[in-house]
Amino acid sequence: MNVSSIYLNVNSAKTINKLFVFSYNVLGRFINGYVLKTDFKYINFLSDENILEVGSSVYLPDLSRYLKDQNLGGGEFLLGIPGSIGGALKMNAGAYGYEIGSNVLEVKCYDLDERKIIKLDSKLINYSYRKSNNLNN
């Protein structure tokens, strides 16, 4: 059984960058054995723009309850889906005829090749049934 020698709680792009700089500069290469626990748990409602920003670690039922508590509709289908926004975006999670991809304007994500945060317009992601494109790296 393999046991990770390094455990990191990742809650910012800066932390991810430090991990890659350490891996490359100190070790000379990327290594297996990291355990990364993302901790991007935030929900920000930008009322002036009528936009919701949600961190990838937010549990879908919690988001559904938040929307209800704020008298915002459209998130009822999320209540019964186990998992987080990050996973839901990747696989275009849905239920009862609704899919998360139809509610997405853009996705901010960390590009492993470029080693920086990028924004992807939802049209570029090309959501389809339980699938997304361009969210692989």
Side-chain angles (χ1 to χ4, degrees):
M1 178 162 108
N2 292 332
V3 178
S4 175
S5 58
I6 299 174
Y7 173 86
L8 292 171
N9 189 27
V10 179
N11 58 12
S12 71
K14 190 180 263 187
T15 305
I16 295 171
N17 278 332
K18 286 180 183 177
L19 167 68
F20 288 121
V21 168
F22 171 79
S23 295
Y24 188 76
N25 291 336
V26 175
L27 303 173
R29 59 187 167 81
F30 294 106
I31 61 168
N32 293 326
Y34 286 119
V35 173
L36 297 178
K37 179 185 182 299
T38 59
D39 193 18
F40 294 99
K41 288 186 181 179
Y42 62 86
I43 302 173
N44 298 323
F45 179 56
L46 309 173
S47 58
D48 293 344
E49 302 169 41
N50 205 28
I51 292 176
L52 197 66
E53 291 182 338
V54 183
S56 62
S57 301
V58 172
Y59 188 53
L60 294 173
D62 291 344
L63 176 58
S64 181
R65 289 182 193 99
Y66 172 87
L67 292 169
K68 179 182 178 276
D69 292 344
Q70 300 298 314
N71 295 316
L72 299 170
E76 298 82 3
F77 75 98
L78 299 171
L79 188 60
I81 303 174
S84 66
I85 283 291
L89 291 172
K90 174 66 178 147
M91 61 144 322
N92 195 20
Y96 309 110
Y98 297 95
E99 296 176 327
I100 193 80
S102 63
N103 295 300
V104 174
L105 295 176
E106 70 180 16
V107 174
K108 292 180 190 172
C109 52
Y110 191 84
D111 186 308
L112 293 172
D113 295 329
E114 298 292 324
R115 296 186 195 164
K116 66 180 182 178
I117 296 288
I118 61 170
K119 291 181 187 179
L120 294 175
D121 185 273
S122 62
K123 294 176 187 103
L124 295 175
I125 297 170
N126 192 23
Y127 283 109
S128 59
Y129 184 75
R130 301 300 173 262
K131 185 179 176 186
S132 65
N133 293 324
N134 298 329
L135 290 179
N136 295 327
N137 227 11

